[in-house]
Amino acid sequence: GENVEQHPSTLSVQEGDSAVIKCTYSDSASNYFPWYKQELGKRPQLIIDIRSNVGEKKDQRIAVTLNKTAKHFSLHITETQPEDSAVYFCAASKISNFGNEKLTFGTGTRLTIIP
Amino acid sequence: EAQVTQNPRYLITVTGKKLTVTCSQNMNHEYMSWYRQDPGLGLRQIYYSMNVEVTDKGDVPEGYKVSRKEKRNFPLILESPSPNQTSLYFCASSLLAGQETQYFGPGTRLLVL
């Protein structure tokens, strides 16, 4: 099955600097890659996603890039702010052999913004 | 208000005592899923459902059962809970299967003694 690896597991950056989180996936048939943010004690929430027919997507300070050849995708957060402190999860999904879809998550990155 | 609800939010039980965690959504979503979250392991999919009466195994289905008799509800059943099922459980739903925003419930923290 699909395997998603996420690095780093923890990341600390100074407020105002950029943060980059990287994920790799194993199944070349995966075609949808969402990123979820989970604040302490809260539920995960989608912050951005990308589909395999697109190489990059931006939403204000957040961007995601996808390299299908290398099977990796990254989350970029610019001008980081204290409220960006959270755990971030990448994920990958595809149509399985039976037409259904599974979503496989990475193990998460705990991002800490240092004031 | 559009939402996914789970009950109970917290549960302490003993090994072998059957329990059910309910999940309900009011957004008319077709796709529903259960995840467990454990430190260092991220979110792992237990079961998912593409629509009523259609369910399939995720990555960690052992020890769990689900049913989808109506669109809005997707209960998670632990027939004989064991301590290794102590975890934080999330239900999620999306409008269509998989490739849409998944909306998560508030989570159920389960402790099996």
Side-chain angles (χ1 to χ4, degrees):
Chain A
E2 174 68 279
N3 182 45
V4 177
E5 294 191 0
Q6 183 172 348
H7 299 282
S9 57
T10 61
L11 179 61
S12 296
V13 301
Q14 289 290 140
E15 182 177 352
D17 288 350
S18 295
V20 181
I21 302 170
K22 299 181 180 181
C23 288
T24 60
Y25 60 99
S26 60
D27 193 336
S28 56
S30 289
N31 53 13
Y32 175 66
F33 307 93
W35 285 88
Y36 283 81
K37 175 184 180 182
Q38 186 180 27
E39 296 176 356
L40 189 62
K42 302 283 182 66
R43 69 194 78 184
Q45 290 190 300
L46 181 77
I47 55 171
I48 195 167
D49 57 12
I50 191 167
R51 300 176 194 274
S52 59
N53 58 348
V54 175
E56 182 175 359
K57 184 177 178 180
K58 285 178 106 171
D59 183 2
Q60 299 184 337
R61 297 186 296 107
I62 294 172
V64 57
T65 58
L66 171 65
N67 183 327
K68 285 191 296 182
T69 303
K71 290 189 282 188
H72 69 69
F73 56 112
S74 300
L75 178 71
H76 304 253
I77 306 174
T78 59
E79 300 173 11
T80 53
Q81 300 169 5
E83 54 264 36
D84 295 329
S85 292
V87 177
Y88 292 81
F89 292 99
C90 63
S93 82
K94 69 176 182 78
I95 303 289
S96 74
N97 291 337
F98 300 98
N100 294 335
E101 295 198 31
K102 292 172 59 175
L103 187 63
T104 301
F105 281 85
T107 51
T109 296
R110 182 174 299 280
L111 175 63
T112 302
I113 307 302
I114 304 166
Chain B
E1 180 190 352
Q3 59 182 346
V4 179
T5 57
Q6 293 178 229
N7 282 291
R9 295 288 314 280
Y10 304 92
L11 180 60
I12 301 174
T13 190
V14 295
T15 299
K17 186 176 181 182
K18 181 180 179 180
L19 67 91
T20 299
V21 184
T22 63
C23 173
S24 183
Q25 50 91 8
N26 62 1
M27 297 172 279
N28 202 36
H29 285 174
E30 292 193 353
Y31 183 92
M32 297 186 75
S33 182
W34 276 103
Y35 299 90
R36 61 178 289 174
Q37 183 174 16
D38 302 288
L41 297 177
L43 290 154
R44 293 180 293 168
Q45 193 171 41
I46 303 171
Y47 270 95
Y48 62 98
S49 171
M50 305 279 282
N51 211 327
V52 176
E53 302 293 359
V54 180
T55 63
D56 206 351
K57 296 177 181 178
D59 292 317
V60 288
E62 296 78 19
Y64 304 95
K65 283 176 58 177
V66 294
S67 68
R68 187 93 182 272
K69 293 185 171 60
E70 47 189 344
K71 188 182 261 193
R72 63 183 293 128
N73 295 324
F74 190 46
L76 179 70
I77 303 157
L78 284 70
E79 294 269 2
S80 183
S82 62
N84 64 12
Q85 292 179 297
T86 292
S87 187
L88 176 59
Y89 292 87
F90 285 101
C91 178
S93 73
S94 63
L95 183 61
L96 296 172
Q99 302 189 7
E100 299 285 341
T101 303
Q102 289 207 21
Y103 296 89
F104 283 79
T108 295
R109 191 167 292 279
L110 172 66
L111 173 61
V112 183
L113 300 173

Coordinates of all heavy atoms in Angstrom, one line a residue, chain A residues 5-82:
Chain A
E5 N 6.1 9.4 3.9 CA 7.1 9.8 4.9 C 7.2 11.3 5.0 O 7.2 12.0 4.0 CB 8.5 9.2 4.5 CG 8.5 7.7 4.6 CD 9.9 7.1 4.5 OE1 10.9 7.9 4.4 OE2 10.1 5.9 4.5
Q6 N 7.3 11.8 6.2 CA 7.3 13.3 6.4 C 8.4 13.7 7.3 O 8.8 13.0 8.3 CB 5.9 13.6 7.1 CG 5.7 15.1 7.4 CD 4.3 15.4 7.9 OE1 3.4 14.6 7.9 NE2 4.2 16.6 8.4
H7 N 9.1 14.8 6.9 CA 10.3 15.3 7.6 C 10.3 16.8 7.6 O 9.8 17.4 6.6 CB 11.6 14.8 6.9 CG 11.7 13.3 6.9 ND1 12.1 12.6 8.0 CD2 11.4 12.4 5.9 CE1 12.1 11.3 7.7 NE2 11.7 11.2 6.4
P8 N 10.8 17.5 8.6 CA 11.2 16.8 9.9 C 10.1 16.5 10.8 O 9.0 16.9 10.5 CB 12.2 17.9 10.4 CG 11.5 19.2 10.0 CD 10.9 18.9 8.6
S9 N 10.4 15.8 11.9 CA 9.3 15.6 12.8 C 9.1 16.8 13.7 O 7.9 17.0 14.2 CB 9.6 14.3 13.7 OG 10.9 14.5 14.3
T10 N 10.1 17.6 14.0 CA 10.0 18.8 14.7 C 10.7 19.9 14.0 O 11.8 19.6 13.4 CB 10.5 18.7 16.2 OG1 11.9 18.4 16.1 CG2 9.7 17.7 16.9
L11 N 10.2 21.1 14.1 CA 10.8 22.2 13.4 C 10.6 23.5 14.2 O 9.5 23.8 14.5 CB 10.2 22.4 12.0 CG 10.7 23.5 11.1 CD1 12.2 23.4 10.8 CD2 10.0 23.5 9.8
S12 N 11.7 24.2 14.5 CA 11.5 25.5 15.2 C 12.1 26.6 14.3 O 13.2 26.4 13.8 CB 12.3 25.5 16.5 OG 11.7 24.5 17.4
V13 N 11.4 27.7 14.1 CA 11.8 28.8 13.3 C 11.5 30.1 14.0 O 10.6 30.2 14.8 CB 11.2 28.8 11.9 CG1 11.6 27.5 11.1 CG2 9.7 29.0 11.9
Q14 N 12.3 31.1 13.7 CA 12.1 32.4 14.3 C 10.9 33.1 13.6 O 10.7 32.9 12.4 CB 13.3 33.3 14.0 CG 14.5 33.0 14.9 CD 14.4 33.3 16.4 OE1 14.8 32.5 17.2 NE2 13.7 34.4 16.6
E15 N 10.1 33.8 14.3 CA 9.0 34.5 13.8 C 9.5 35.4 12.6 O 10.5 36.1 12.7 CB 8.3 35.4 14.9 CG 7.1 36.1 14.4 CD 6.5 36.9 15.5 OE1 6.9 36.7 16.7 OE2 5.5 37.7 15.2
G16 N 8.7 35.3 11.5 CA 9.1 36.0 10.3 C 9.9 35.3 9.3 O 9.9 35.6 8.1
D17 N 10.5 34.2 9.8 CA 11.3 33.3 8.8 C 10.3 32.4 8.1 O 9.1 32.3 8.4 CB 12.4 32.6 9.6 CG 13.5 33.4 10.0 OD1 13.6 34.6 9.6 OD2 14.4 33.0 10.8
S18 N 10.9 31.6 7.2 CA 10.1 30.6 6.4 C 10.3 29.2 7.0 O 11.3 28.9 7.6 CB 10.5 30.6 5.0 OG 10.2 31.9 4.3
A19 N 9.3 28.4 6.8 CA 9.3 27.0 7.2 C 9.0 26.1 6.1 O 8.1 26.5 5.3 CB 8.3 26.8 8.4
V20 N 9.7 25.0 5.9 CA 9.4 24.1 4.9 C 9.3 22.7 5.5 O 10.2 22.2 6.2 CB 10.6 24.1 3.8 CG1 10.3 23.1 2.7 CG2 10.8 25.5 3.2
I21 N 8.3 22.0 5.1 CA 8.0 20.6 5.5 C 7.9 19.7 4.3 O 7.2 20.1 3.3 CB 6.7 20.5 6.3 CG1 6.8 21.4 7.6 CG2 6.5 19.0 6.8 CD1 5.5 21.5 8.3
K22 N 8.6 18.6 4.3 CA 8.7 17.8 3.1 C 8.1 16.4 3.3 O 8.2 15.8 4.4 CB 10.1 17.6 2.7 CG 10.8 18.9 2.3 CD 12.3 18.7 1.9 CE 12.9 20.1 1.6 NZ 14.3 20.0 1.1
C23 N 7.4 15.9 2.2 CA 6.8 14.6 2.3 C 7.2 13.8 1.0 O 7.2 14.4 -0.1 CB 5.3 14.6 2.4 SG 4.8 15.2 4.1
T24 N 7.4 12.5 1.1 CA 7.5 11.7 0.0 C 6.5 10.6 0.0 O 6.0 10.2 1.1 CB 8.9 11.0 0.0 OG1 9.1 10.2 1.1 CG2 10.0 12.0 -0.1
Y25 N 6.1 10.1 -1.1 CA 5.1 9.0 -1.2 C 5.6 7.9 -2.1 O 6.5 8.1 -2.9 CB 3.7 9.6 -1.7 CG 3.7 10.2 -3.1 CD1 3.3 9.5 -4.2 CD2 4.1 11.5 -3.3 CE1 3.3 10.1 -5.5 CE2 4.1 12.1 -4.5 CZ 3.7 11.4 -5.6 OH 3.7 12.0 -6.8
S26 N 5.0 6.7 -1.9 CA 5.6 5.6 -2.6 C 4.8 5.2 -3.9 O 5.4 4.6 -4.8 CB 5.6 4.4 -1.7 OG 4.3 4.1 -1.2
D27 N 3.5 5.5 -3.9 CA 2.7 5.0 -5.0 C 2.5 6.0 -6.1 O 1.9 7.1 -5.8 CB 1.3 4.6 -4.4 CG 0.5 3.8 -5.4 OD1 0.7 3.9 -6.6 OD2 -0.4 3.0 -5.0
S28 N 3.0 5.8 -7.2 CA 3.0 6.8 -8.3 C 1.5 7.0 -8.8 O 1.3 8.0 -9.5 CB 3.8 6.3 -9.5 OG 3.4 5.0 -9.9
A29 N 0.6 6.2 -8.4 CA -0.8 6.4 -8.8 C -1.5 7.5 -7.9 O -2.6 7.9 -8.2 CB -1.6 5.1 -8.7
S30 N -0.9 7.8 -6.8 CA -1.5 8.9 -5.9 C -1.6 10.2 -6.7 O -0.8 10.6 -7.5 CB -0.6 9.1 -4.7 OG -0.7 8.0 -3.8
N31 N -2.8 10.8 -6.5 CA -3.1 12.0 -7.4 C -3.7 13.2 -6.6 O -4.1 14.1 -7.2 CB -4.0 11.6 -8.6 CG -5.2 10.9 -8.1 OD1 -5.5 10.8 -6.9 ND2 -5.9 10.3 -9.1
Y32 N -3.8 13.0 -5.3 CA -4.3 14.1 -4.5 C -3.5 14.2 -3.2 O -3.3 13.2 -2.5 CB -5.8 13.9 -4.2 CG -6.4 14.9 -3.3 CD1 -6.6 16.2 -3.6 CD2 -6.9 14.5 -2.0 CE1 -7.2 17.1 -2.8 CE2 -7.5 15.4 -1.2 CZ -7.6 16.7 -1.6 OH -8.2 17.6 -0.7
F33 N -3.1 15.5 -2.9 CA -2.1 15.6 -1.7 C -2.6 16.8 -0.9 O -2.2 18.0 -1.2 CB -0.7 15.9 -2.3 CG -0.3 14.8 -3.3 CD1 -0.5 15.0 -4.6 CD2 0.3 13.6 -2.8 CE1 -0.1 14.0 -5.5 CE2 0.7 12.6 -3.7 CZ 0.5 12.8 -5.1
P34 N -3.3 16.5 0.2 CA -3.7 17.6 1.1 C -2.8 17.8 2.3 O -2.0 16.9 2.6 CB -5.1 17.1 1.6 CG -4.9 15.6 1.6 CD -4.0 15.3 0.5
W35 N -2.8 19.0 2.8 CA -2.1 19.3 4.1 C -3.1 19.7 5.1 O -3.9 20.6 4.9 CB -1.1 20.4 3.8 CG 0.1 20.0 3.1 CD1 0.3 20.0 1.7 CD2 1.4 19.5 3.6 NE1 1.5 19.5 1.4 CE2 2.2 19.3 2.5 CE3 1.9 19.3 4.9 CZ2 3.5 18.8 2.7 CZ3 3.2 18.9 5.1 CH2 4.0 18.6 4.0
Y36 N -2.9 19.1 6.3 CA -3.8 19.5 7.4 C -3.0 20.1 8.6 O -1.9 19.7 8.8 CB -4.5 18.2 7.9 CG -5.7 17.8 7.1 CD1 -5.4 17.1 5.9 CD2 -7.0 18.2 7.4 CE1 -6.5 16.7 5.1 CE2 -8.0 17.8 6.5 CZ -7.8 17.1 5.4 OH -8.8 16.7 4.6
K37 N -3.6 21.0 9.3 CA -3.0 21.7 10.4 C -3.8 21.3 11.7 O -5.0 21.3 11.7 CB -3.0 23.2 10.3 CG -2.5 24.0 11.4 CD -2.7 25.5 11.2 CE -2.2 26.3 12.3 NZ -2.4 27.8 12.1
Q38 N -3.1 20.9 12.7 CA -3.8 20.5 14.0 C -3.2 21.3 15.1 O -2.0 21.1 15.5 CB -3.7 19.0 14.2 CG -4.5 18.6 15.4 CD -4.3 17.1 15.7 OE1 -3.3 16.4 15.4 NE2 -5.4 16.5 16.3
E39 N -3.9 22.3 15.6 CA -3.5 23.0 16.8 C -3.7 22.2 18.0 O -4.5 21.2 18.0 CB -4.3 24.3 16.9 CG -4.0 25.2 15.7 CD -4.8 26.5 15.7 OE1 -5.7 26.6 16.6 OE2 -4.6 27.3 14.8
L40 N -3.0 22.5 19.1 CA -3.0 21.7 20.3 C -4.4 21.5 20.8 O -5.2 22.4 21.0 CB -2.2 22.4 21.4 CG -1.9 21.6 22.6 CD1 -1.1 20.4 22.3 CD2 -1.1 22.5 23.7
G41 N -4.8 20.2 21.0 CA -6.1 19.9 21.5 C -7.3 20.0 20.6 O -8.4 19.9 21.0
K42 N -7.0 20.4 19.3 CA -8.0 20.6 18.3 C -8.0 19.5 17.3 O -7.2 18.6 17.2 CB -7.8 22.0 17.7 CG -7.8 23.1 18.6 CD -9.2 23.5 19.1 CE -9.2 24.7 20.0 NZ -8.7 25.9 19.3
R43 N -9.0 19.6 16.4 CA -9.1 18.6 15.3 C -8.3 19.1 14.1 O -8.1 20.3 14.0 CB -10.6 18.5 14.9 CG -11.2 19.7 14.2 CD -12.7 19.6 14.2 NE -13.3 20.0 15.4 CZ -14.7 19.9 15.6 NH1 -15.5 19.5 14.7 NH2 -15.2 20.2 16.8
P44 N -7.9 18.2 13.3 CA -7.1 18.6 12.0 C -8.0 19.4 11.1 O -9.2 19.1 11.0 CB -6.7 17.2 11.4 CG -6.8 16.2 12.5 CD -7.9 16.7 13.4
Q45 N -7.5 20.3 10.4 CA -8.2 21.1 9.5 C -7.4 21.3 8.2 O -6.2 21.6 8.3 CB -8.6 22.5 10.1 CG -9.6 22.4 11.2 CD -10.1 23.8 11.6 OE1 -9.4 24.6 12.0 NE2 -11.4 24.0 11.4
L46 N -8.0 21.2 7.1 CA -7.3 21.4 5.8 C -6.9 22.8 5.6 O -7.6 23.7 5.9 CB -8.3 21.0 4.6 CG -7.7 21.1 3.2 CD1 -6.8 19.9 3.0 CD2 -8.8 21.2 2.2
I47 N -5.6 23.0 5.2 CA -5.1 24.3 4.9 C -4.8 24.5 3.5 O -4.9 25.6 3.0 CB -3.8 24.6 5.8 CG1 -2.7 23.6 5.6 CG2 -4.2 24.8 7.3 CD1 -1.4 24.0 6.2
I48 N -4.4 23.5 2.8 CA -4.2 23.6 1.3 C -4.1 22.2 0.7 O -3.8 21.2 1.5 CB -2.9 24.4 1.1 CG1 -2.8 24.9 -0.4 CG2 -1.6 23.6 1.5 CD1 -1.7 25.9 -0.7
D49 N -4.4 22.1 -0.5 CA -4.2 20.8 -1.2 C -3.8 21.0 -2.6 O -3.8 22.1 -3.2 CB -5.5 20.0 -1.1 CG -6.7 20.7 -1.8 OD1 -6.5 21.7 -2.4 OD2 -7.9 20.2 -1.6
I50 N -3.3 19.9 -3.2 CA -2.8 20.0 -4.6 C -3.1 18.7 -5.3 O -3.1 17.6 -4.7 CB -1.3 20.4 -4.7 CG1 -0.9 20.7 -6.1 CG2 -0.4 19.2 -4.1 CD1 0.5 21.4 -6.1
R51 N -3.4 18.8 -6.6 CA -3.7 17.6 -7.4 C -2.6 17.4 -8.3 O -1.8 18.3 -8.6 CB -5.1 17.8 -8.1 CG -6.2 18.0 -7.1 CD -7.5 18.3 -7.8 NE -8.5 18.8 -6.8 CZ -9.2 18.1 -6.0 NH1 -9.1 16.7 -6.1 NH2 -10.0 18.6 -5.1
S52 N -2.5 16.2 -8.9 CA -1.3 15.8 -9.6 C -1.1 16.5 -10.9 O -0.1 16.4 -11.5 CB -1.3 14.3 -9.8 OG -2.4 13.9 -10.5
N53 N -2.1 17.2 -11.4 CA -2.0 17.9 -12.7 C -1.5 19.3 -12.5 O -1.4 20.1 -13.4 CB -3.3 17.9 -13.4 CG -4.4 18.6 -12.6 OD1 -4.3 18.8 -11.4 ND2 -5.5 18.9 -13.3
V54 N -1.1 19.6 -11.2 CA -0.6 21.0 -10.9 C 0.7 20.8 -10.2 O 0.9 19.9 -9.4 CB -1.6 21.7 -10.0 CG1 -1.1 23.1 -9.6 CG2 -2.9 21.9 -10.7
G55 N 1.7 21.7 -10.5 CA 3.0 21.7 -9.9 C 3.1 22.5 -8.6 O 3.9 22.2 -7.8
E56 N 2.3 23.6 -8.5 CA 2.4 24.5 -7.4 C 1.1 25.2 -7.1 O 0.3 25.4 -8.1 CB 3.5 25.5 -7.6 CG 3.7 26.5 -6.4 CD 4.9 27.4 -6.7 OE1 5.5 27.4 -7.7 OE2 5.2 28.2 -5.7
K57 N 0.8 25.4 -5.9 CA -0.4 26.1 -5.5 C -0.1 27.0 -4.3 O 0.6 26.6 -3.4 CB -1.5 25.1 -5.2 CG -2.9 25.8 -4.9 CD -3.9 24.6 -4.6 CE -5.2 25.2 -4.3 NZ -6.2 24.1 -4.0
K58 N -0.6 28.3 -4.4 CA -0.4 29.2 -3.3 C -1.7 29.8 -2.7 O -2.7 29.9 -3.4 CB 0.5 30.4 -3.8 CG 1.9 30.1 -4.1 CD 2.6 31.4 -4.6 CE 3.5 32.0 -3.6 NZ 4.3 33.1 -4.2
D59 N -1.6 30.1 -1.4 CA -2.8 30.7 -0.8 C -2.2 31.6 0.3 O -1.8 31.2 1.4 CB -3.7 29.6 -0.1 CG -4.9 30.3 0.5 OD1 -5.1 31.5 0.4 OD2 -5.7 29.5 1.1
Q60 N -2.0 32.9 0.0 CA -1.4 33.9 0.8 C 0.0 33.4 1.3 O 0.9 33.3 0.4 CB -2.4 34.1 2.0 CG -3.7 34.6 1.6 CD -4.7 35.0 2.7 OE1 -4.5 34.5 3.8 NE2 -5.6 35.9 2.4
R61 N 0.2 33.2 2.6 CA 1.6 32.8 3.0 C 1.9 31.3 2.9 O 3.0 30.9 3.2 CB 1.7 33.2 4.5 CG 1.6 34.7 4.8 CD 1.9 35.0 6.2 NE 0.9 34.4 7.1 CZ 1.2 33.4 7.9 NH1 2.4 32.8 7.9 NH2 0.3 32.9 8.7
I62 N 1.0 30.6 2.4 CA 1.2 29.1 2.3 C 1.2 28.7 0.9 O 0.5 29.2 0.0 CB 0.0 28.4 3.0 CG1 0.0 28.7 4.5 CG2 0.1 26.9 2.8 CD1 -1.2 28.1 5.2
A63 N 2.2 27.8 0.6 CA 2.3 27.3 -0.8 C 2.6 25.8 -0.7 O 3.3 25.3 0.3 CB 3.4 28.0 -1.6
V64 N 2.2 25.0 -1.7 CA 2.6 23.6 -1.8 C 3.2 23.4 -3.2 O 2.7 23.9 -4.2 CB 1.4 22.7 -1.5 CG1 0.2 23.0 -2.4 CG2 1.8 21.3 -1.5
T65 N 4.2 22.6 -3.2 CA 4.8 22.2 -4.5 C 4.8 20.7 -4.6 O 4.9 20.0 -3.6 CB 6.3 22.7 -4.6 OG1 7.0 22.2 -3.5 CG2 6.3 24.2 -4.5
L66 N 4.7 20.2 -5.8 CA 4.6 18.8 -6.1 C 5.6 18.4 -7.2 O 5.6 19.0 -8.3 CB 3.2 18.4 -6.5 CG 2.9 17.0 -7.0 CD1 3.2 16.0 -5.9 CD2 1.5 16.8 -7.6
N67 N 6.4 17.4 -7.0 CA 7.3 16.8 -8.0 C 6.9 15.4 -8.2 O 7.2 14.5 -7.4 CB 8.7 17.0 -7.5 CG 9.7 16.5 -8.6 OD1 9.4 15.5 -9.3 ND2 10.9 17.1 -8.6
K68 N 6.1 15.2 -9.2 CA 5.6 13.8 -9.5 C 6.7 12.8 -9.8 O 6.6 11.6 -9.5 CB 4.5 13.8 -10.6 CG 3.2 14.4 -10.2 CD 2.1 14.2 -11.2 CE 2.5 14.9 -12.5 NZ 1.4 14.7 -13.5
T69 N 7.7 13.3 -10.5 CA 8.8 12.4 -10.9 C 9.5 11.9 -9.7 O 9.8 10.7 -9.6 CB 9.7 13.2 -11.9 OG1 9.0 13.7 -13.0 CG2 10.8 12.2 -12.4
A70 N 9.8 12.8 -8.8 CA 10.5 12.4 -7.6 C 9.6 11.8 -6.5 O 10.1 11.4 -5.5 CB 11.3 13.5 -7.1
K71 N 8.3 12.0 -6.7 CA 7.3 11.6 -5.7 C 7.5 12.2 -4.4 O 7.6 11.6 -3.3 CB 7.3 10.0 -5.6 CG 6.7 9.3 -6.8 CD 6.4 7.9 -6.6 CE 7.7 7.1 -6.7 NZ 7.5 5.7 -6.7
H72 N 7.6 13.6 -4.5 CA 7.6 14.3 -3.2 C 6.9 15.6 -3.4 O 6.7 16.2 -4.5 CB 9.0 14.5 -2.6 CG 9.9 15.4 -3.4 ND1 9.8 16.7 -3.5 CD2 11.1 15.1 -4.1 CE1 10.8 17.3 -4.2 NE2 11.5 16.3 -4.6
F73 N 6.4 16.1 -2.2 CA 5.7 17.4 -2.2 C 6.0 18.1 -0.9 O 6.4 17.4 0.1 CB 4.1 17.2 -2.4 CG 3.5 16.3 -1.4 CD1 2.6 16.7 -0.4 CD2 3.7 14.9 -1.4 CE1 1.9 15.9 0.5 CE2 3.1 14.0 -0.5 CZ 2.2 14.5 0.4
S74 N 5.9 19.4 -0.9 CA 6.4 20.2 0.2 C 5.4 21.3 0.5 O 4.7 21.8 -0.3 CB 7.8 20.8 -0.1 OG 8.7 19.8 -0.4
L75 N 5.4 21.7 1.8 CA 4.6 22.8 2.3 C 5.6 23.9 2.7 O 6.6 23.7 3.4 CB 3.8 22.4 3.6 CG 3.0 23.5 4.2 CD1 1.8 23.8 3.3 CD2 2.5 23.0 5.6
H76 N 5.3 25.1 2.2 CA 6.1 26.3 2.4 C 5.3 27.3 3.2 O 4.2 27.7 2.6 CB 6.6 26.9 1.1 CG 7.4 25.9 0.3 ND1 8.8 25.9 0.2 CD2 7.0 24.8 -0.5 CE1 9.2 24.9 -0.6 NE2 8.1 24.3 -1.0
I77 N 5.7 27.8 4.3 CA 5.0 28.8 5.0 C 6.0 30.0 5.1 O 7.1 29.9 5.7 CB 4.6 28.4 6.4 CG1 3.8 27.1 6.4 CG2 3.8 29.5 7.1 CD1 3.4 26.5 7.8
T78 N 5.6 31.1 4.6 CA 6.5 32.3 4.6 C 6.0 33.3 5.7 O 4.8 33.2 6.2 CB 6.5 33.1 3.3 OG1 5.1 33.4 3.0 CG2 7.0 32.2 2.2
E79 N 6.9 34.2 6.1 CA 6.6 35.2 7.1 C 5.8 34.6 8.3 O 4.7 35.0 8.7 CB 5.8 36.3 6.5 CG 6.5 37.0 5.4 CD 5.6 38.0 4.6 OE1 4.5 38.3 5.1 OE2 6.0 38.4 3.5
T80 N 6.4 33.6 8.9 CA 5.7 32.8 10.0 C 5.3 33.7 11.1 O 6.0 34.7 11.5 CB 6.6 31.7 10.5 OG1 7.9 32.2 10.9 CG2 6.8 30.6 9.4
Q81 N 4.2 33.3 11.7 CA 3.6 34.0 12.8 C 3.4 33.0 14.0 O 3.3 31.8 13.8 CB 2.3 34.7 12.4 CG 2.5 35.7 11.3 CD 1.2 36.1 10.6 OE1 0.1 35.8 11.1 NE2 1.3 36.9 9.6
P82 N 3.2 33.5 15.2 CA 3.0 32.6 16.4 C 1.8 31.7 16.1 O 1.9 30.5 16.6 CB 2.8 33.6 17.5 CG 3.5 34.8 17.2 CD 3.4 34.9 15.7

